[in-house]
Amino acid sequence: MSNNRRPAYLPIAIIAVVIIAITAAVIMWFKPDSQPMETAQSASNALADESESTLLTALNSGQVVQTTAPQSESLFVTGLEGLPRSLTGTQVDGEIIIDENKQLVVTEGLRRLFDYFLSALGEEDEAVIYARVESYIRHHTPEPAASQAVAIFDQLL
């Protein structure tokens, strides 16, 4: 009688290789694109460097600052261009409410709006998210409420 049995470790090794291959495929599928982020980050770094000292001085003195740097205008118009993967295909959560005098009404919805954009913090640089939120607010909100909302976002960061 001949002994033609396979070793017991062979099926386990095949299963382990298949699991590793599937895991690698899933990781590659969900990996964020690095090329668009690098371009956005280089533009946002220029924006952050230019406005950082003015913004810090104004925040420390308690002033409300309207930041309309040309780079932020060229980077985004509505704030919804080129959304990161985690936000693609979603609706903006939250809202900006203003009163009859175009003054900002601070609500839970404003915080949800900020949190919606900040949820992409791992995919986008903080300066890109700042430019995106500022563009979104200025595109959807009249003055002086827009500047008030941007100032509150500054304080949140």
Side-chain angles (χ1 to χ4, degrees):
M1 188 172 183
S2 84
N3 192 359
N4 289 344
R5 290 185 43 195
R6 277 189 261 170
Y9 65 87
L10 191 58
I12 295 171
I14 291 172
I15 291 171
V17 168
V18 169
I19 288 173
I20 290 171
I22 291 172
T23 303
V26 169
I27 289 171
M28 294 304 290
W29 179 266
F30 288 110
K31 180 181 175 190
D33 296 332
S34 61
Q35 185 63 25
M37 283 179 58
E38 290 170 4
T39 305
Q41 284 178 350
S42 63
S44 68
N45 287 341
L47 170 65
D49 292 343
E50 188 173 298
S51 62
E52 183 178 20
S53 63
T54 305
L55 198 60
L56 288 175
T57 303
L59 286 175
N60 289 336
S61 65
Q63 298 174 350
V64 174
V65 177
Q66 178 176 350
T67 55
T68 54
Q71 287 88 354
S72 67
E73 291 175 11
S74 65
L75 190 59
F76 299 110
V77 175
T78 66
L80 301 176
E81 300 88 359
L83 287 170
R85 263 190 203 181
S86 64
L87 299 180
T88 302
T90 63
Q91 295 292 322
V92 176
D93 188 23
E95 66 273 342
I96 301 171
I97 298 176
I98 57 172
D99 66 13
E100 62 277 353
N101 297 323
K102 296 184 181 178
Q103 298 292 319
L104 181 69
V105 178
V106 180
T107 64
E108 177 79 24
L110 184 63
R111 177 60 190 241
R112 284 196 325 269
L113 177 86
F114 296 154
D115 288 343
Y116 172 80
F117 288 105
L118 287 171
S119 69
L121 196 52
E123 294 176 82
E124 289 186 320
D125 188 50
E126 184 177 316
V128 174
I129 292 173
Y130 180 87
R132 185 182 297 283
V133 171
E134 181 180 12
S135 296
Y136 182 86
I137 290 170
R138 295 202 184 283
H139 187 263
H140 292 90
T141 312
E143 288 297 337
S147 292
Q148 294 166 350
V150 170
I152 290 172
F153 187 64
D154 285 337
Q155 292 173 357
L156 178 67
L157 294 181

